Amino acid sequence: MRANGRPLNTTSLTLTAVRNLGILAHVDAGKTTVTERILFATGAIHKRGEVHHGTTVTDHDPQERDRGITIFAAAVSCSWSGHHLNLIDTPGHVDFSDEVERSLRVLDGAVAVFDAVAGVEPQSETVWRQADRHGVPRIAFVNKLDRAGADLDTAVASIRRRLGVVPLVVQLPIGREDDFTGVVDLVTMRALHWRAGSADFASGPVPEDLREEAGRRRRLLEETVAELHAEALEEFCADAALGDGTLARALRELTLRGDGVVVLCGSAYRNRGIEPLLDAVVAYLPAPADMPPVRGTADGAEQERAPDPAEPFAALAFKVTATTTGRLTYLRVYAGTLRKGATVLDAATGRTERVGRILRVQADRHEDREEAVAGDIVAVIGLKSARAGTTLCAPGAPLVLEPPTVAEPVVSVAVEARHNSDTGRLASALARLAEEDPSLVVRSDPETGQTVLSGLGELHLEVAAEKIRRGHGVEVVVGRPQVSYRETVVHGVTGLVHRHVKQDGGAGQFAHIVLDVAPLDEPVFEFRSTVVGGRVPQEYARAVEAGCRDALAEGPLGGYPVTGLRVTLTDGATHSKDSSEMAFRAAGRFGLREALRRSTVELLEPVVEVAVSVPEDGVGGVLGDLAARRGRVSGQTAEAGTAVITATVPLAELFGYASRLRGRTQGRGVFTTRPAGLAPAPASVTAAVTGSVTGSVTGGLSAR
C-alpha cells in the first residue's frame, strides 16, 4: 500500500489519520470510476480499470460486470498524504438502497458524486437523505465536466434547490466540455492543469483570463463562509477578507456540523480532479477521533464507549458474504482492539465465537492482519452466527449497538427448483441469500405451499435468482413479480370489548380487554395503554401489544399486513388464578382481529416517483403511456432537445416498462425510480387483488 509513492505503515497510524468514507451517487454518475481513479492515484493499483470493460476493482462480481452497474457495496483501502482511507463504493440503483443504508450506518463521512449535466437525480436525493438520517458529513464532487452540456453552476444550483443545503464551491473549472483541462483552487488561489491522456498534473498561478472570475468566486466563498461561521465572520469584519488558514478551518468545521457542503469538480474518466478530491477528503471529512463515543445499551441502561484502542472491544457487523475464502463478516470497530484468535460475544444472543482470521479487504482480494483497532473497517473469518446488525464485543463488557434499519420488501416472486432433486439445495441457497442480504425475505405461502422470495424491486430479485444459478448451481423457475400490498384503517372502532376465556382442564386462561382502534397518517403501528388503577398490570399490557402485533400480519381485506393505525388499551380485567401473559397475548391477537373486521379498511399499494428522460418528440406518447399506467405527472422540464418528465406511478404498473419505453422512443428513452411510499389503491385494483389473494405470488411460473 502506498501514499503519494511512499509505503505507509497503517498499523502505526493514530485515529486522526484514518478516514472511513463512502462514495454515494445516482446510478451512472461515476461512483465506481471515481473509486477506481482514487485507487490509482494513491498507488493501491497500477492499472486503471473501466466500468464498460468490466475491469474495475470494486465491481468484481460477474453480474456487476455483465450489467455495468454496482450491485454490492465493496470495501477498499488506500493511503494518501500520511492518512489511511477505508472506502466503500455503494450501489446507485434504487433496488439496492439497503446496501447503502448498511454502509452509511458504519461510515464517518461520504463523497457524493453528481453528474455535471444531470445535476441532482432521484437516487442522488435518496442517498443524500439516507446520509442525513445517519448524520454523515459529506463533500460533493461534480463529475463528468468534460461532457457536452456540462455546467458546474447549473449542477450546484440543483444541489442547493433539491437538497436544501448551502454549497461551498471551492473550485473554478478551467475550460468547458471537451476543453476542460483543470481547476482553480479557490482556497489556495492556485491553478491545477492535467495533461491530456495522463494522470499527471502541474500546479501554477491562476491564468490571466480567469483571475477576475476566480477573485469574484473567492470573495463569494468568503462571504458565504463568514455568514455561517462565527470565527470567520469576526476576521472578515476586521480585515474584509479571510486568510487561507481561517477559510480551510471554517470549511472543515462547517462540513463536520453539516452547515455547508464543500463542492469540488472534475472528470474522473479523464483523471482530472481526483488528487484535489483526496486532499479535500483528508482536510474536511472527519476522522474516527472526531466522532462522539458510540452509544449502546447494556443491562437496559445506555452506555458510551469512546473510539479508543484501550477501551473494551465493541464492533458492529454490517455485511456478511460467502466467498471461496470462507464466510466473511465485515465489521466496523468502534472501540477497543480485536486480535486474531480472540473470543467475542454476540451481545444480542449471548453466544461467544472465535475470530479465526482478520482481513484487510480490497474488494475481492484480502490481506491478513494480526489485529484491528478502533476506527478500522475489516472483515473476519470464523464467525458462524453473526448477521448484519450484530454487535460483537468483549465477553466481559457486553454492549448492544443500534443495528441498521432494513427496508421492507415491495416485490415478491414464487421460486422453485426446476428439478425436484435440487429442492434441498434451493432452500439452502435461499437461506444463504437472506443471511447475506436482510432486505431479501423468504417465506412459504401457507395456502399454496410455494416458496416466496420478496425484495426491493424487479432487478433486486433478478440478481438474487441469477446468484442462485451461478453461485449455487441450482436452476430455478421464477414466477411473475407481484407487489407487496398493505392494508390500513380508514375509520376505526371505539370501546371494543373482547374476553378470552378458556377452560379445558388444568390452569385456565382469562383475559378481558377493551380496545380503541384509530387510523394514523403514517404507515406505522402505535400501541398505548390508558388503563388506570392497576386493572391491567403493565406486563399484561405488554402482552396485549405483542398479541396486536401478531394480528397485524394478516388484514381482513385480503390477508395483507396491516399498518397505519393506533391501538389503545382503555380498560380490562384479570382473574386471580387464570390470567397470564399468554392469555392476554391471545386476547390482544383475537381482539384486534375482531376490531379490524368492524373497522373500515382499505388497500394500500406501493408507489414510486419516476423520472423519464425522452427526446422532445416523444413526450406525447410517454405522457399517454404514464396516464394509462395510473401515473400522476408532477413536473416536466426541457433542455437541449431532451424532456424530463416526473410522475408518481403505482409500482405494479411499472413491470415491463423499460421495454415499453424503449419501443416508444426508438431506444432513446431512459427512466429512473425511487420509492414514494404507499397510496390508497382504487376500487378496481382492490377488487382484483382481494378477489384472488393466492394469486399474489403464484401466477405463471416461467423460467428467466
Side-chain angles (χ1 to χ4, degrees):
M1 198 170 292
R2 306 177 69 83
N4 298 0
R6 297 184 301 275
L8 181 64
N9 181 7
T10 59
T11 59
S12 62
L13 292 174
T14 65
L15 287 177
T16 58
V18 176
R19 299 290 184 273
N20 295 317
L21 66 143
I23 311 295
L24 313 174
H26 184 89
V27 65
D28 287 336
K31 300 179 313 306
T32 300
T33 303
V34 168
T35 305
E36 193 75 11
R37 297 307 188 261
I38 286 175
L39 294 177
F40 181 77
T42 57
I45 60 174
H46 302 287
K47 182 180 179 181
R48 297 185 296 268
E50 305 293 349
V51 173
H52 53 279
H53 292 158
T55 56
T56 59
V57 171
T58 52
D59 283 355
H60 57 84
D61 187 271
Q63 290 202 69
E64 294 178 311
R65 294 182 171 178
D66 291 346
R67 299 174 186 270
I69 62 171
T70 301
I71 296 174
F72 309 106
V76 292
S77 302
C78 57
S79 300
W80 182 257
S81 294
H83 291 71
H84 183 74
L85 278 57
N86 293 314
L87 282 78
I88 297 182
D89 179 23
T90 65
H93 195 285
V94 64
D95 282 18
F96 308 104
S97 58
D98 208 57
E99 287 271 338
V100 182
E101 184 74 19
R102 294 197 298 275
S103 299
L104 284 170
R105 173 63 181 82
V106 299
L107 293 173
D108 300 328
V111 174
V113 180
F114 300 94
D115 188 314
V117 178
V120 177
E121 299 173 89
Q123 188 63 7
S124 308
E125 190 170 350
T126 298
V127 296
W128 189 273
R129 302 305 178 204
Q130 286 178 286
D132 279 342
R133 290 198 301 272
H134 290 280
V136 175
R138 279 140 284 170
I139 60 177
F141 181 71
V142 178
N143 192 26
K144 302 188 178 182
L145 274 179
D146 59 311
R147 287 184 58 196
D151 185 80
L152 175 63
D153 292 337
T154 301
V156 170
S158 72
I159 291 173
R160 179 185 292 108
R161 181 181 66 256
R162 296 196 59 176
L163 302 181
V165 299
V166 179
L168 305 170
V169 184
V170 298
Q171 291 179 341
L172 169 66
I174 299 175
R176 291 178 61 88
E177 300 177 355
D178 281 342
D179 296 327
F180 170 67
T181 59
V183 298
V184 175
D185 186 333
L186 299 178
V187 178
T188 63
M189 293 304 285
R190 297 284 291 174
L192 305 176
H193 295 272
W194 282 266
R195 289 191 291 273
S198 171
D200 297 331
F201 70 97
S203 174
V206 179
E208 184 68 32
D209 60 336
L210 287 177
R211 286 183 182 175
E212 182 179 346
E213 178 65 12
R216 186 186 70 82
R217 292 187 180 236
R218 165 67 184 238
R219 180 71 177 182
L220 179 61
L221 175 62
E222 291 178 357
E223 291 174 352
T224 305
V225 168
E227 290 176 358
L228 301 171
H229 192 276
E231 180 187 341
L233 176 61
E234 185 176 336
E235 181 174 320
F236 189 80
C237 292
D239 303 335
L242 294 180
D244 294 355
T246 301
L247 180 58
R249 285 195 303 274
L251 289 172
R252 175 176 172 79
E253 291 176 15
L254 291 174
T255 300
L256 297 185
R257 296 203 310 251
D259 293 337
V261 177
V262 171
V263 180
L264 302 96
C265 61
S267 168
Y269 180 68
R270 296 185 184 270
N271 306 293
R272 295 168 188 169
I274 298 302
E275 293 85 358
L277 175 62
L278 284 165
D279 289 337
V281 165
V282 169
Y284 305 130
L285 290 182
D290 298 316
M291 306 304 292
V294 66
R295 293 186 176 185
T297 57
D299 297 325
E302 187 174 281
Q303 290 189 7
E304 292 185 346
R305 202 157 290 180
D308 184 344
E311 286 276 313
F313 171 70
L316 184 70
F318 66 95
K319 184 178 175 68
V320 176
T321 60
T323 69
T324 54
T325 311
R327 186 178 186 270
L328 290 183
T329 304
Y330 290 76
L331 304 178
R332 163 64 192 267
V333 182
Y334 283 100
T337 301
L338 175 67
R339 293 182 174 83
K340 186 170 68 173
T343 298
V344 295
L345 173 71
D346 182 333
T349 65
R351 295 180 56 180
T352 57
E353 296 197 70
R354 182 179 177 273
V355 175
R357 295 169 63 192
I358 302 175
L359 305 174
R360 171 76 70 192
V361 180
Q362 195 77 349
D364 60 340
R365 294 180 286 117
H366 313 125
E367 172 190 335
D368 278 283
R369 298 185 60 192
E370 291 299 315
E371 65 178 26
V373 300
D376 272 338
I377 292 179
V378 296
V380 299
I381 294 178
L383 305 183
K384 297 178 180 179
S385 62
R387 303 289 186 268
T390 295
T391 300
L392 300 172
C393 54
L399 184 74
V400 179
L401 303 177
E402 181 183 356
T405 58
V406 179
E408 284 195 15
V410 295
V411 180
S412 300
V413 292
V415 294
E416 62 183 39
R418 180 179 294 277
H419 307 292
N420 290 336
S421 58
D422 287 336
T423 301
R425 293 172 62 201
L426 174 61
S428 176
L430 288 171
R432 180 68 59 83
L433 280 180
E435 178 183 314
E436 295 181 1
D437 185 352
S439 61
L440 286 172
V441 176
V442 181
R443 63 180 177 86
S444 178
D445 189 309
E447 298 195 23
T448 65
Q450 288 181 318
T451 300
V452 178
L453 179 64
S454 302
L456 302 183
E458 274 189 284
L459 181 59
H460 192 202
L461 295 178
E462 285 179 15
V463 167
E466 190 62 24
K467 198 168 183 179
I468 294 173
R469 295 187 183 104
R470 294 189 183 190
H472 300 272
V474 179
E475 282 297 318
V476 293
V477 181
V478 182
R480 292 193 302 267
Q482 300 289 337
V483 302
S484 298
Y485 295 97
R486 295 290 185 270
E487 298 180 25
T488 192
V489 172
V490 180
H491 299 292
V493 295
T494 302
L496 183 132
V497 178
H498 182 82
R499 288 168 61 89
H500 177 73
V501 181
K502 188 175 181 181
Q503 190 74 48
D504 53 3
Q509 294 185 24
F510 177 88
H512 175 93
I513 59 173
V514 181
L515 300 177
D516 289 350
V517 176
L520 289 177
D521 293 332
E522 297 294 322
V524 295
F525 169 70
E526 289 184 6
F527 179 89
R528 62 184 183 184
S529 172
T530 60
V531 179
V532 296
R535 292 176 60 80
V536 179
Q538 190 63 36
E539 62 270 23
Y540 290 169
R542 288 194 293 267
V544 173
E545 179 181 0
C548 289
R549 292 187 182 277
D550 294 341
L552 297 177
E554 294 184 4
L557 199 59
Y560 298 105
V562 184
T563 188
L565 73 159
R566 177 192 293 117
V567 175
T568 304
L569 177 65
T570 60
D571 200 0
T574 62
H575 187 276
S576 58
K577 294 183 179 180
D578 293 342
S579 289
S580 64
E581 291 185 22
M582 182 174 65
F584 273 88
R585 181 164 185 161
R589 181 169 63 254
F590 295 121
L592 183 54
R593 285 180 181 175
E594 182 181 351
L596 290 174
R597 286 194 294 269
R598 297 188 185 186
S599 302
T600 303
V601 178
E602 71 178 0
L603 190 72
L604 298 176
E605 60 180 350
V607 295
V608 295
E609 181 183 295
V610 182
V612 188
S613 298
V614 296
E616 289 187 340
D617 58 6
V619 169
V622 170
L623 288 174
D625 191 39
L626 288 174
R629 295 172 185 270
R630 297 191 284 123
R632 291 183 289 109
V633 175
S634 56
Q636 181 177 332
T637 60
E639 185 175 343
T642 300
V644 178
I645 303 164
T646 56
T648 302
V649 185
L651 179 61
E653 301 290 346
L654 285 181
F655 296 143
Y657 183 58
S659 300
R660 179 78 170 182
L661 180 63
R662 285 194 296 267
R664 282 186 171 273
T665 60
Q666 293 77 50
R668 297 177 293 168
V670 295
F671 77 100
T672 58
T673 64
R674 65 170 179 166
L678 298 166
S684 58
V685 173
T686 301
V689 170
T690 58
S692 55
V693 176
T694 58
S696 61
V697 293
T698 59
L701 287 175
S702 59
R704 290 196 169 187

